[in-house]
Amino acid sequence: LRLCRTAMSALGRSLRRVIRPSQLRVRTIGGHGSPEEIKQGMEWWKKVTYVSLPVVAGALVLNLFAEIAGSHHHDTEGPNYGYMKIRNKPYPWGKGDCNFFDLQCRRNE
């Protein structure tokens, strides 16, 4: 283990001699460009945010009114197909005809 550490240390020192600091690139996180271009991009995204927030808020309010008004009702039972609820043997819980997560059926037992 000690031999491995010394070998890695020697390798690091030799690489530092070969690669000069002037050759190392400084990476920018935000992308490429001058500070003015970066500031322009930031201002553009601020404008996009300020425009999109009212649109999203309006859609939220419309959806809320549609839900409160109850204009859209779902049929809770659904179609009764012949291949649904085929039981060859009862379930080990309850009376055996209800699925484990079918709470409506369990209430009706």
Side-chain angles (χ1 to χ4, degrees):
L1 185 66
R2 184 167 172 81
L3 179 64
C4 183
R5 286 184 188 165
T6 56
M8 293 299 287
S9 168
L11 180 64
R13 281 192 303 263
S14 63
L15 283 177
R16 275 189 229 119
R17 287 183 199 136
V18 173
I19 300 174
R20 293 188 179 100
S22 62
Q23 294 174 339
L24 296 175
R25 282 197 243 163
V26 177
R27 293 182 58 177
T28 58
I29 296 174
H32 306 82
S34 66
E36 292 82 22
E37 290 175 329
I38 293 172
K39 189 171 182 177
Q40 277 181 333
M42 184 180 67
E43 292 298 325
W44 185 80
W45 279 110
K46 279 185 181 180
K47 290 175 186 175
V48 167
T49 302
Y50 292 142
V51 168
S52 64
L53 280 178
V55 172
V56 171
L60 178 74
V61 169
L62 286 175
N63 191 20
L64 182 66
F65 283 135
E67 286 292 324
I68 289 174
S71 60
H72 187 84
H73 294 286
H74 289 281
D75 189 15
T76 57
E77 287 296 315
N80 191 9
Y81 297 115
Y83 58 84
M84 296 176 79
K85 281 204 159 193
I86 296 175
R87 306 281 184 263
N88 293 331
K89 62 181 186 177
Y91 286 122
W93 52 83
K95 293 185 180 176
D97 191 35
C98 295
N99 194 352
F100 189 72
F101 296 107
D102 191 3
L103 298 178
Q104 188 68 27
C105 178
R106 286 181 159 198
R107 283 188 204 117
N108 293 337
E109 276 189 334

